[in-house]
Amino acid sequence: MEKMKKIEVIIESIYVNRLLELFKESDVTGYTIIRGIEGYGSHGLKTADEANDLLSNDYIFTLCKEEKFNKMIERIRSFINRYGGKCIISDTQVLLSLKESKYL
Amino acid sequence: MEKMKKIEVIIESIYVNRLLELFKESDVTGYTIIRGIEGYGSHGLKTADEANDLLSNDYIFTLCKEEKFNKMIERIRSFINRYGGKCIISDTQVLLSLKESKYL
Amino acid sequence: MEKMKKIEVIIESIYVNRLLELFKESDVTGYTIIRGIEGYGSHGLKTADEANDLLSNDYIFTLCKEEKFNKMIERIRSFINRYGGKCIISDTQVLLSLKESKYL
Amino acid sequence: MNIDLILQNILNPPILFFLLGMLAVFFKSELTIPQPLPKLFSLYLLIAIGLHGGYELSHSGINTYIFTALFLAILMAIIVPIYSYFILRIKLDSYNAIAIAATYGSISAVTFITGVTYLQTIGVEYGGYMVAGMALMESPAIVVGLVFAALFSKDSADKDNSQDKKKTDWKEIFREAFLNPSVFLLVGALIIGIVTGQKGWDSMEPLFGTLFKGMLAFFLLDMGLIAAKRIYELKKVGLFLIIFAIAMPIFNASVGILLGYFFELTKGDTLLLALLSGSASYIAVPAAMRLSVPEANPGLYLPLSLAVTFPFNISLGIPLYYYFITILWG
Amino acid sequence: MNIDLILQNILNPPILFFLLGMLAVFFKSELTIPQPLPKLFSLYLLIAIGLHGGYELSHSGINTYIFTALFLAILMAIIVPIYSYFILRIKLDSYNAIAIAATYGSISAVTFITGVTYLQTIGVEYGGYMVAGMALMESPAIVVGLVFAALFSKDSADKDNSQDKKKTDWKEIFREAFLNPSVFLLVGALIIGIVTGQKGWDSMEPLFGTLFKGMLAFFLLDMGLIAAKRIYELKKVGLFLIIFAIAMPIFNASVGILLGYFFELTKGDTLLLALLSGSASYIAVPAAMRLSVPEANPGLYLPLSLAVTFPFNISLGIPLYYYFITILWG
Amino acid sequence: MNIDLILQNILNPPILFFLLGMLAVFFKSELTIPQPLPKLFSLYLLIAIGLHGGYELSHSGINTYIFTALFLAILMAIIVPIYSYFILRIKLDSYNAIAIAATYGSISAVTFITGVTYLQTIGVEYGGYMVAGMALMESPAIVVGLVFAALFSKDSADKDNSQDKKKTDWKEIFREAFLNPSVFLLVGALIIGIVTGQKGWDSMEPLFGTLFKGMLAFFLLDMGLIAAKRIYELKKVGLFLIIFAIAMPIFNASVGILLGYFFELTKGDTLLLALLSGSASYIAVPAAMRLSVPEANPGLYLPLSLAVTFPFNISLGIPLYYYFITILWG
Ligand SMILES: Nc1ncnc2c1ncn2[C@@H]1O[C@H](COP(=O)(O)O)[C@@H](O)[C@H]1O
Ligand SMILES: Nc1ncnc2c1ncn2[C@@H]1O[C@H](COP(=O)(O)O)[C@@H](O)[C@H]1O
Ligand SMILES: Nc1ncnc2c1ncn2[C@@H]1O[C@H](COP(=O)(O)O)[C@@H](O)[C@H]1O
Ligand code: NA
Ligand code: NA
Ligand code: NA
């Protein structure tokens, strides 16, 4: 098991590609997405039942080591300043497969 | 970054409006919902593929400061006693946008 | 409130039944599933929009006490070695309903 | 009873697709029809039923005969949950008796249209106004259930000391009774059908008329999957309730048939009245009961309605009730 | 103005289903049409419109008249967002003025086909090439919006010091303008319709022709739900913009009608040109604006387009514009 | 080879929608058809194919000719995965050779119905019993794959010391072979079609017959999106396998054609036999292989089947195989 940060982001679906680009540029090795979710926050109610990506959220999380996280955090902060959304950071343990123990 | 509690609740979809009311009465400023999920627990199997909200769960979480959480916890407990479901509480850090740093 | 481990697993949808079997054999008392989610990792991109369960992930989590977790962990590790996927472990507090306080 | 009557009903693609869905579960095939596809089918069926019923009403207008039929429909919808409650109290606590009584007091739209398909197959006339009857039969059982809940389970209100909660509930439950999606959409489409008449129907028929039986078959495939999955829960339900779930529909249908006979309804209309009386709700009422009587166990009323009464009615019930009718009418 | 014109439009099932959807929200019925069902309907409608338009173009070919009609369509699509921007700047900042101007400069496909349905109801001819006109009118407003964003809101680019970001945006926004799913699918289906001609249409007509009005009704039920939900946001929008959301379509449609009159389009084609000019986008343009002008508030442009302009156009706008046309044409 | 044969195939709306889907991906348009819409289309197509095949079988009955055709179908389904395996072993390890061989040994229903559409376009007769042939051809390759896995990759079983796991697998894999949703639904619908005959088909035809080509076009639009996305993975696949993915179908189809010739099948039936032999599974078999041979890389067998063989077969393969047939038959 490896200690890692779990970075969860909830943003308007329309901005998800831009966030994934940010992840890519930060050398993130993996992520998980749950699309078309709902929510309420400072930008109002997202109901996810519209013919429109502006009214629906996506939920993305990525796991990474503390160092990588420290490098990303400012970029995520300015992303959220510009596009809205929430970012939640928590401490987790990740169970690695044999192969991955080498990768990460 | 701000230390906050993440309160996750899994309940039968049919009760989600009542939970949101509880949130509202507790002055929760935001929440996120993932609808139509499946699960197994003391109330049996929820398969989410039925023409029926009783057999499907919703997953809701809200982030709030410790004080607000302490005020809510008894209401959530009695909600779960009445309607079933699970409530998970964990410690997280939330990255705030410039604007929100004032709000919360 | 009860201290528990939250074990989150992300795997190819096609293997979810096998994981649930593993859970059953480990006497897990409950779990939650979010199906058809997307992700990227060492096994490439899962887009969840295909007529095919191989290209989509499921997200499952279960809450259990530390002892049960310790018994399961090696089985999950060998599961992930064989079938891929990610397993995230974190510490949480679970709010129990009156009834359950007896069960668990 | 003539075996032909049964075969004429069962050897129709919709019923066979229902059986196919059940077989898929029994054989553990991984066939699934994920949400929101079942939702699409049920929206479609409700709109189609409503529009067509409205269209026929726009032709027939309202007369004493139709008025009588609709009156009988409401009558059945009120008395069935009342006497069901007292029968159920023999073995069950108040909460569960209320929930099950309300479930059986209301109706199942898919059972209704399977009956309509059967009448078309055997070439027996029926009236489009029976759709209005169906719409009128959905809500009364919910109201009866709520009144009984207020009368017979007051204690629960005391335990839970949040009084304001109780007040909001009433509004919410009223909405569940009269504005739940099924009733709302059915009545809405019915009115649109009446208002737009022949011209409206001409433009809607290709989708909501011609394709109807195919969509019913598709939907029943899904219902087969759903019903079969619930069968595994029946072992927890107990013999009394399983017998109830077959005997009660037959009894209710018989009452409907007798009423139809005495008030001189046609054979087709009587079958539909009987079927509505004998059918049990598995969407609207369970939802309303879950909200208003959370103490009742949905592990009882759902499997009974879905896995026993529904399959029984659409396979054997329909020809059985029609057999009763042919005997009475001579 | 003749009340009959309005009734002829409103007493059609599709419009009535739209009203039913709105009522569902006002009465707090829990009727929902969850994703991806709305997506299914909109994919269907785009393909159907494109195929049928292409099929008709394969018959008519291109001539000077059609060329004129298409030219007028593009003209309107360029000038509307330009003058709208300057009107909006009276009260709004640059960002919001750009986003709203672009929204109103583009078109709504569902408004268009509701107009087509109206013309069929009252038996007035129109040309299938107007579908090509519609396709041509989607993108210009996005381009105008982007040029204005570059001209009038440079400051924002400075604040955000990630210069490379700005470059990629242009490519992304170009894609949004010309390759967004609506434009892409519509144009693609149009070309397939042209290429496969009569034979192609014969094989596609049962799904994409015959069922069209039923599917439109189904989709408008959902649009009613969506529009009504947004109405609650209008209180934050302010009177100026609400007036804008009704006056602007009437004005734009009138300009379209005058152009149609002077360039001698037929009455049917002119109505469609007017309607396209008067309609506002609620999918493609809002998406493009959200990406390129994140500073603009979608809480303004979305409710205006969805909850004011769209309902107005399909209920009163269509007969009103047609009334103008009957006056001019005499 | 006559270019007309190709154009007759390609200039059909379904194939053009497939190309449109591919273009959407290449042009990076954000057109998507989210789940469960693709699922809806594939359920529809399976039911439609099954019902129609069953309906035709209810007319034709079983005779020696049909028996021969079905026998040849099974024969091809058994020998193709066997010889494919040995060809693939030249370059690949046992696991991947098994998975790919099984994939190519089974069939693709959408390829089959595209072929049926082609025959209708060019006016050539074929037998509805070929649907039964298709159903019979789905499973054998899975069984062959499993037997090979047991024979040639025993070592893996040892590594994993959970013996009981291995036992349950067999049951699960048997289910995958004979009760996977595709086979189950197809065979179920086929039987329903046979049992309900003319009368059943009459009631189902509006949905499952008349709309078929439109639904196929809709589904192929999605398949275009899916296939094109996988093309980007082909660079990791290597030239040997890409050549395999085109040469193998041609070879398998040719074997099918020769068998059809010697056993005196009609031209139409032979084309369908060839197409089934040449097509590769992209749903049922990959799923079964992923479960039973997790060591094989789905990044190989999925892109090959989806992004090479499927597009090749429905665009060039069909007319090519038909060209071979016209040469042989003279
Ligand atoms: N306090 C909160 N707890 C949980 N989720 C939140 C919270 N605030 C915002 N969100 C989620 O983040 C999304 C964007 O937040 P916002 O930008 O504040 O509107 C919302 O639509 C919610 O899904
Ligand atoms: N131990 C558990 N771990 C994860 N999820 C659970 C657990 N127990 C219950 N759940 C979820 O909570 C829902 C309601 O729980 P219950 O009221 O116990 O049936 C279940 O359907 C599951 O989705
Ligand atoms: N670093 C990561 N952060 C979040 N999710 C991940 C990460 N790596 C992998 N995943 C998820 O786990 C799935 C399987 O991982 P893998 O077996 O590495 O392909 C991926 O498709 C992702 O959904
Ligand atoms: Na009843
Ligand atoms: Na416009
Ligand atoms: Na094959």
Side-chain angles (χ1 to χ4, degrees):
Chain A
M1 285 206 296
E2 187 95 13
K3 239 191 107 189
M4 293 179 102
K5 290 278 177 192
K6 186 182 189 186
I7 310 174
E8 300 166 87
V9 188
I10 305 139
I11 46 160
E12 278 176 33
S13 307
I14 206 161
Y15 293 133
V16 79
N17 284 341
R18 293 193 179 168
L19 182 65
L20 293 183
E21 241 170 68
L22 190 161
F23 278 5
K24 216 175 163 187
E25 290 169 16
S26 310
D27 295 319
V28 154
T29 58
Y31 56 79
T32 297
I33 308 184
I34 306 181
R35 292 195 191 264
I37 65 167
E38 305 181 23
Y40 175 73
S42 53
H43 290 82
L45 190 64
K46 310 283 169 178
T47 52
D49 62 349
E50 323 279 318
N52 205 303
D53 269 356
L54 281 66
L55 299 164
S56 123
N57 286 330
D58 283 5
Y59 169 90
I60 306 123
F61 70 84
T62 183
L63 300 159
C64 63
K65 293 231 182 118
E66 182 120 28
E67 310 102 78
K68 200 175 273 182
F69 164 70
N70 288 334
K71 279 187 215 145
M72 283 172 73
I73 182 158
E74 280 315 312
R75 298 199 64 175
I76 297 183
R77 193 194 303 279
S78 79
F79 188 93
I80 284 186
N81 279 343
R82 188 166 168 85
Y83 299 119
K86 280 273 165 305
C87 176
I88 311 165
I89 295 121
S90 48
D91 290 308
T92 59
Q93 301 276 68
V94 176
L95 198 64
L96 295 181
S97 66
L98 292 177
K99 273 182 257 168
E100 287 168 317
S101 309
K102 303 167 217 165
Y103 277 107
L104 286 165
Chain B
M1 284 205 298
E2 187 95 12
K3 241 191 107 190
M4 293 179 101
K5 290 278 178 193
K6 186 182 189 186
I7 310 174
E8 300 164 87
V9 187
I10 304 140
I11 45 159
E12 278 177 32
S13 307
I14 205 160
Y15 293 132
V16 78
N17 284 341
R18 292 193 180 169
L19 182 64
L20 293 182
E21 241 170 68
L22 189 161
F23 279 2
K24 215 173 160 187
E25 290 168 16
S26 309
D27 295 318
V28 154
T29 58
Y31 56 79
T32 298
I33 309 183
I34 306 182
R35 292 196 191 264
I37 65 167
E38 305 180 21
Y40 175 75
S42 54
H43 290 82
L45 191 65
K46 309 285 170 176
T47 52
D49 62 349
E50 323 280 319
N52 205 303
D53 268 356
L54 282 66
L55 297 164
S56 121
N57 285 330
D58 283 3
Y59 169 89
I60 307 122
F61 70 85
T62 182
L63 301 159
C64 63
K65 292 232 183 116
E66 182 120 28
E67 310 99 80
K68 198 175 274 182
F69 164 70
N70 288 333
K71 279 189 214 141
M72 283 172 74
I73 181 157
E74 280 315 313
R75 299 199 63 176
I76 297 183
R77 194 193 304 278
S78 80
F79 188 93
I80 285 187
N81 278 344
R82 188 166 168 85
Y83 298 120
K86 280 274 165 302
C87 177
I88 312 165
I89 296 122
S90 46
D91 291 308
T92 59
Q93 301 276 68
V94 176
L95 198 65
L96 295 181
S97 66
L98 292 177
K99 273 181 258 170
E100 287 169 316
S101 309
K102 304 166 218 166
Y103 277 107
L104 288 165
Chain C
M1 286 206 296
E2 187 93 15
K3 238 190 109 190
M4 291 179 103
K5 291 278 177 192
K6 186 182 189 187
I7 310 175
E8 300 165 86
V9 188
I10 306 139
I11 45 159
E12 277 176 35
S13 307
I14 205 159
Y15 293 132
V16 79
N17 284 342
R18 292 193 181 167
L19 182 64
L20 293 182
E21 241 170 69
L22 190 161
F23 279 3
K24 215 173 163 190
E25 291 168 15
S26 310
D27 295 319
V28 154
T29 58
Y31 56 79
T32 298
I33 309 184
I34 307 181
R35 293 195 190 263
I37 64 166
E38 306 180 22
Y40 175 74
S42 53
H43 290 82
L45 190 66
K46 310 284 170 178
T47 53
D49 62 349
E50 323 278 318
N52 206 303
D53 269 355
L54 281 65
L55 298 164
S56 120
N57 286 330
D58 282 4
Y59 169 89
I60 307 122
F61 70 84
T62 183
L63 301 158
C64 63
K65 292 231 182 118
E66 182 120 27
E67 311 100 79
K68 200 176 273 182
F69 165 71
N70 288 334
K71 279 188 215 143
M72 282 172 76
I73 182 157
E74 280 315 313
R75 296 199 65 176
I76 297 183
R77 194 195 301 279
S78 80
F79 188 92
I80 285 187
N81 278 342
R82 188 168 168 81
Y83 299 119
K86 280 273 165 302
C87 176
I88 311 166
I89 296 122
S90 47
D91 291 308
T92 59
Q93 301 277 65
V94 176
L95 198 65
L96 295 180
S97 67
L98 292 176
K99 272 180 259 169
E100 286 168 317
S101 311
K102 303 166 217 164
Y103 276 108
L104 287 165
Chain D
M1 180 183 171
N2 198 330
I3 193 83
D4 262 17
L5 280 176
I6 297 177
L7 287 183
Q8 274 172 325
N9 184 47
I10 289 184
L11 294 185
N12 262 321
I15 307 293
L16 292 174
F17 274 103
F18 180 78
L19 293 178
L20 189 64
M22 295 193 99
L23 286 180
V25 175
F26 299 149
F27 287 165
K28 297 195 194 305
S29 165
E30 290 192 355
L31 181 64
T32 54
I33 302 187
Q35 281 296 6
L37 300 183
K39 182 111 195 186
L40 173 67
F41 298 138
S42 65
L43 289 172
Y44 170 88
L45 293 179
L46 286 170
I47 295 176
I49 300 168
L51 275 180
H52 191 253
Y55 157 66
E56 298 212 337
L57 268 176
S58 78
H59 274 298
S60 66
I62 288 282
N63 55 37
T64 341
Y65 176 85
I66 293 178
F67 195 81
T68 310
L70 299 186
F71 166 78
L72 292 179
I74 296 178
L75 182 68
M76 286 304 293
I78 294 171
I79 61 172
V80 170
I82 296 178
Y83 63 66
S84 298
Y85 173 78
F86 292 103
I87 294 170
L88 287 159
R89 280 298 270 131
I90 300 170
K91 286 269 184 181
L92 297 177
D93 61 77
S94 198
Y95 296 126
N96 282 306
I98 289 170
I100 301 177
T103 300
Y104 280 81
S106 187
I107 56 92
S108 144
V110 179
T111 305
F112 174 80
I113 55 186
T114 310
V116 167
T117 305
Y118 178 71
L119 290 176
Q120 290 167 351
T121 306
I122 61 173
V124 171
E125 294 277 305
Y126 64 94
Y129 42 80
M130 290 308 287
V131 172
M134 177 173 82
L136 292 168
M137 285 179 83
E138 282 215 66
S139 312
I142 298 178
V143 177
V144 169
L146 294 176
V147 171
F148 278 27
L151 290 177
F152 300 125
S153 53
K154 268 193 211 132
D155 33 30
S156 92
D158 299 316
K159 254 190 267 167
D160 195 327
N161 54 7
S162 56
Q163 290 233 326
D164 58 337
K165 179 113 271 168
K166 285 287 148 194
K167 263 178 224 148
T168 29
D169 275 9
W170 276 97
K171 230 173 82 191
E172 200 177 340
I173 268 89
F174 177 85
R175 270 214 316 274
E176 282 293 320
F178 296 103
L179 294 170
N180 71 63
S182 316
V183 171
F184 184 85
L185 195 54
L186 184 67
V187 173
L190 192 76
I191 293 171
I192 292 176
I194 295 173
V195 170
T196 62
Q198 184 68 44
K199 237 178 138 181
W201 180 244
D202 287 346
S203 68
M204 293 294 111
E205 189 177 15
L207 179 60
F208 292 111
T210 319
L211 302 188
F212 190 79
K213 280 195 192 157
M215 293 294 275
L216 179 62
F218 220 145
F219 188 61
L220 281 176
L221 174 65
D222 184 51
M223 288 300 300
L225 293 169
I226 291 172
K229 268 188 246 163
R230 297 292 135 197
I231 281 183
Y232 297 103
E233 295 180 9
L234 286 177
K235 44 185 180 239
K236 294 179 219 149
V237 156
L239 197 62
F240 172 75
L241 283 180
I242 293 177
I243 293 171
F244 174 90
I246 291 184
M248 202 72 213
I250 298 179
F251 180 73
N252 293 341
S254 305
V255 176
I257 289 169
L258 287 176
L259 283 176
Y261 185 70
F262 286 117
F263 287 87
E264 297 184 337
L265 297 192
T266 66
K267 280 159 82 177
D269 292 350
T270 301
L271 180 73
L272 294 178
L273 177 66
L275 203 50
L276 288 169
S277 307
S279 73
S281 170
Y282 52 79
I283 299 183
V285 179
M289 289 302 117
R290 194 75 185 121
L291 282 172
S292 51
V293 196
E295 298 86 356
N297 182 3
L300 296 181
Y301 51 90
L302 269 182
L304 284 180
S305 169
L306 270 172
V308 183
T309 304
F310 180 76
F312 170 76
N313 270 331
I314 65 166
S315 59
L316 302 177
I318 292 173
L320 180 70
Y321 309 151
Y322 191 71
Y323 176 68
F324 289 169
I325 288 171
T326 53
I327 292 177
L328 259 190
W329 267 249
Chain E
M1 181 183 170
N2 199 329
I3 194 82
D4 263 18
L5 280 175
I6 296 177
L7 288 182
Q8 274 172 324
N9 184 47
I10 289 183
L11 293 185
N12 262 320
I15 306 292
L16 292 173
F17 274 103
F18 180 78
L19 293 178
L20 189 65
M22 293 192 101
L23 286 180
V25 175
F26 298 150
F27 287 164
K28 297 196 195 302
S29 165
E30 290 194 355
L31 179 65
T32 53
I33 303 188
Q35 282 294 7
L37 300 182
K39 182 110 193 186
L40 173 66
F41 298 139
S42 63
L43 290 172
Y44 169 88
L45 292 180
L46 286 171
I47 295 176
I49 300 168
L51 275 180
H52 191 253
Y55 157 67
E56 299 214 335
L57 266 177
S58 78
H59 275 299
S60 65
I62 287 282
N63 55 37
T64 341
Y65 176 85
I66 294 178
F67 196 80
T68 309
L70 299 186
F71 166 77
L72 292 179
I74 297 179
L75 182 68
M76 287 303 293
I78 294 172
I79 61 171
V80 169
I82 296 179
Y83 64 67
S84 297
Y85 173 77
F86 292 103
I87 293 171
L88 288 159
R89 281 297 271 131
I90 298 172
K91 286 268 184 184
L92 297 178
D93 62 78
S94 198
Y95 297 126
N96 282 305
I98 289 170
I100 301 176
T103 300
Y104 280 80
S106 186
I107 57 92
S108 143
V110 179
T111 306
F112 175 80
I113 55 185
T114 310
V116 166
T117 305
Y118 179 70
L119 289 176
Q120 290 168 349
T121 307
I122 61 173
V124 170
E125 295 277 307
Y126 64 94
Y129 42 82
M130 290 309 287
V131 171
M134 177 173 82
L136 292 168
M137 284 179 82
E138 283 215 65
S139 311
I142 299 178
V143 177
V144 169
L146 293 176
V147 171
F148 277 26
L151 290 178
F152 299 125
S153 54
K154 267 189 211 134
D155 33 32
S156 91
D158 298 316
K159 253 189 269 167
D160 195 324
N161 54 7
S162 55
Q163 289 232 326
D164 58 338
K165 180 113 273 169
K166 284 288 146 189
K167 263 177 224 147
T168 29
D169 276 8
W170 276 98
K171 231 174 82 192
E172 199 176 341
I173 268 91
F174 177 85
R175 272 214 315 274
E176 283 293 320
F178 296 103
L179 295 170
N180 71 64
S182 317
V183 171
F184 184 86
L185 196 54
L186 185 68
V187 173
L190 191 77
I191 293 172
I192 293 176
I194 294 174
V195 169
T196 61
Q198 183 69 46
K199 237 177 139 182
W201 180 245
D202 287 346
S203 68
M204 294 294 111
E205 190 178 12
L207 179 60
F208 292 111
T210 319
L211 303 187
F212 190 79
K213 281 196 192 156
M215 293 294 275
L216 179 61
F218 220 144
F219 188 61
L220 280 176
L221 175 65
D222 183 51
M223 288 299 302
L225 294 169
I226 289 173
K229 268 188 245 161
R230 297 292 135 197
I231 281 184
Y232 297 103
E233 294 181 9
L234 286 179
K235 45 183 179 242
K236 293 179 219 149
V237 156
L239 196 62
F240 172 75
L241 283 180
I242 293 177
I243 293 172
F244 175 90
I246 291 184
M248 202 71 213
I250 299 179
F251 180 74
N252 293 342
S254 305
V255 174
I257 290 169
L258 287 176
L259 283 176
Y261 185 69
F262 286 118
F263 285 87
E264 298 184 336
L265 298 192
T266 66
K267 282 160 82 176
D269 291 351
T270 301
L271 180 73
L272 295 179
L273 177 65
L275 203 50
L276 287 169
S277 307
S279 73
S281 171
Y282 52 79
I283 300 183
V285 179
M289 289 301 117
R290 195 75 185 121
L291 282 173
S292 51
V293 197
E295 298 85 356
N297 182 3
L300 296 180
Y301 51 88
L302 269 183
L304 284 180
S305 168
L306 270 172
V308 183
T309 303
F310 180 76
F312 170 75
N313 270 331
I314 65 166
S315 59
L316 302 177
I318 293 172
L320 180 69
Y321 308 151
Y322 191 71
Y323 176 66
F324 289 169
I325 288 171
T326 54
I327 291 178
L328 258 189
W329 266 250
Chain F
M1 181 184 172
N2 199 331
I3 193 82
D4 262 19
L5 281 176
I6 297 177
L7 288 182
Q8 275 173 324
N9 184 48
I10 289 185
L11 293 185
N12 263 319
I15 306 294
L16 292 173
F17 273 104
F18 180 77
L19 293 178
L20 190 65
M22 295 193 100
L23 286 180
V25 174
F26 299 149
F27 287 165
K28 297 194 193 306
S29 165
E30 289 193 355
L31 180 64
T32 54
I33 303 187
Q35 282 295 4
L37 301 183
K39 183 112 194 186
L40 174 66
F41 298 138
S42 64
L43 290 171
Y44 169 88
L45 293 179
L46 287 170
I47 295 175
I49 300 168
L51 275 180
H52 191 253
Y55 157 66
E56 299 214 336
L57 267 176
S58 79
H59 274 300
S60 65
I62 288 281
N63 55 36
T64 340
Y65 176 85
I66 294 178
F67 195 80
T68 309
L70 299 185
F71 167 76
L72 292 179
I74 296 179
L75 182 68
M76 285 305 292
I78 294 171
I79 61 172
V80 169
I82 297 179
Y83 63 66
S84 298
Y85 173 78
F86 291 103
I87 293 171
L88 287 159
R89 280 297 270 132
I90 298 172
K91 286 270 184 181
L92 297 177
D93 62 79
S94 199
Y95 297 126
N96 282 304
I98 289 169
I100 300 177
T103 300
Y104 280 80
S106 187
I107 57 91
S108 143
V110 180
T111 306
F112 175 80
I113 55 184
T114 311
V116 167
T117 305
Y118 178 71
L119 290 175
Q120 290 168 349
T121 307
I122 61 173
V124 170
E125 295 277 305
Y126 64 92
Y129 42 81
M130 289 309 288
V131 171
M134 177 172 83
L136 292 168
M137 285 179 82
E138 282 216 66
S139 312
I142 298 178
V143 177
V144 169
L146 295 175
V147 171
F148 277 26
L151 290 177
F152 300 125
S153 54
K154 266 187 210 139
D155 33 29
S156 92
D158 299 316
K159 255 189 268 169
D160 195 326
N161 54 7
S162 56
Q163 290 234 324
D164 58 337
K165 178 113 274 169
K166 284 289 147 190
K167 264 179 223 145
T168 28
D169 276 9
W170 276 97
K171 231 173 81 193
E172 199 176 342
I173 268 90
F174 176 85
R175 271 214 316 275
E176 282 293 319
F178 296 103
L179 294 170
N180 71 64
S182 317
V183 171
F184 185 85
L185 195 55
L186 185 67
V187 173
L190 191 77
I191 293 172
I192 292 176
I194 294 174
V195 169
T196 61
Q198 184 69 45
K199 237 177 140 183
W201 180 244
D202 287 346
S203 68
M204 294 293 113
E205 189 178 15
L207 179 60
F208 291 111
T210 319
L211 302 188
F212 190 78
K213 281 196 192 157
M215 293 293 275
L216 178 61
F218 219 145
F219 188 61
L220 281 176
L221 175 65
D222 184 51
M223 288 299 301
L225 293 170
I226 290 172
K229 268 189 246 162
R230 296 293 135 197
I231 281 184
Y232 297 103
E233 295 181 8
L234 287 178
K235 44 183 181 241
K236 294 180 219 146
V237 156
L239 196 63
F240 173 75
L241 283 180
I242 293 178
I243 292 172
F244 175 91
I246 291 186
M248 202 71 213
I250 298 179
F251 180 74
N252 294 342
S254 305
V255 174
I257 289 170
L258 288 176
L259 283 175
Y261 185 70
F262 286 118
F263 285 87
E264 297 183 337
L265 298 192
T266 66
K267 281 159 83 178
D269 292 350
T270 302
L271 180 73
L272 295 178
L273 177 65
L275 203 50
L276 288 168
S277 306
S279 74
S281 171
Y282 52 80
I283 300 182
V285 179
M289 289 301 117
R290 194 77 185 121
L291 283 171
S292 51
V293 196
E295 298 85 356
N297 181 1
L300 297 180
Y301 51 89
L302 269 181
L304 285 180
S305 169
L306 271 172
V308 182
T309 303
F310 180 75
F312 170 75
N313 270 331
I314 65 165
S315 58
L316 303 177
I318 293 173
L320 180 70
Y321 308 151
Y322 191 69
Y323 176 67
F324 289 168
I325 289 171
T326 54
I327 291 177
L328 259 189
W329 267 249

